[in-house]
């Protein structure tokens, strides 16, 4: 069922989130949220390591992901969501982790120089953001 609802889930549909056991208001409750890339500048073909932390005031199930707003050739951006983990955050416990952004040219996505926004998502809602300049 989760696979069939993935598009509505990524769009943050409250009914689908509730059906799968997630609360859309969790993003407002989490604290101590940070999102920090190792460097503000990256090169095409390179790698950027991004660390994150999240703390929950009460025990709650969370879907953790991130979104990259890629700069397009005409200067606009297009967003792509990526999955990090599904877990239940215990009350007061700090969740820390790392993910890596590979700035590689793909046949399905061409990279362009500019400022790319990286956002941390909790239950499909933005809780932190940072920027990486791609050269």
């Amino acid at each position: 069922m989760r696979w069939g609802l993935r598009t509505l889930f990524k769009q943050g549909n409250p009914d689908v989130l509730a059906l799968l056991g997630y609360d859309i208001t969790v993003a407002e409750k989490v604290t101590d949220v940070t999102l920090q890339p190792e460097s503000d500048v990256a090169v095409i073909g390179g790698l950027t390591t991004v660390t994150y932390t999240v703390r929950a005031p009460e025990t709650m199930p969370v879907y953790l992901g991130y979104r990259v707003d890629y700069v397009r050739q005409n200067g606009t951006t297009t967003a792509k969501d990526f999955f990090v983990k599904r877990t239940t955050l215990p009350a007061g416990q700090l969740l820390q982790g790392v993910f890596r952004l590979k700035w590689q040219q793909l046949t399905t996505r061409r990279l362009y120089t500019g400022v790319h926004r990286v956002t941390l998502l909790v239950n499909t809602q933005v809780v932190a953001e940072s920027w990486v300049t791609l050269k």
Side-chain angles (χ1 to χ4, degrees), residues 34-38 47-53 64-68 82-85 96-103 118-121 128 130 132:
T34 61
L35 180 69
Q36 184 62 46
E38 68 180 350
L47 186 72
T48 301
T49 302
V50 182
T51 59
Y52 63 86
T53 60
L64 197 62
Y66 65 95
R67 176 179 296 144
V68 179
F82 299 92
F83 168 77
V84 176
K85 72 180 346 180
Q96 298 177 319
V98 174
F99 58 87
R100 289 171 179 78
L101 299 172
K102 296 179 181 177
W103 301 105
V118 181
T119 54
L120 185 65
L121 307 172
S130 186
V132 175

Side-chain angles (χ1 to χ4, degrees), residues 39-58:
S39 172
D40 294 341
V41 179
V43 295
I44 294 177
L47 186 72
T48 301
T49 302
V50 182
T51 59
Y52 63 86
T53 60
V54 177
R55 184 185 311 266
E58 59 195 55

Side-chain angles (χ1 to χ4, degrees), residues 26-34 53-57 94:
V26 166
E28 301 165 3
K29 299 175 186 175
V30 295
T31 59
D32 298 332
V33 179
T34 61
T53 60
V54 177
R55 184 185 311 266
L94 190 64

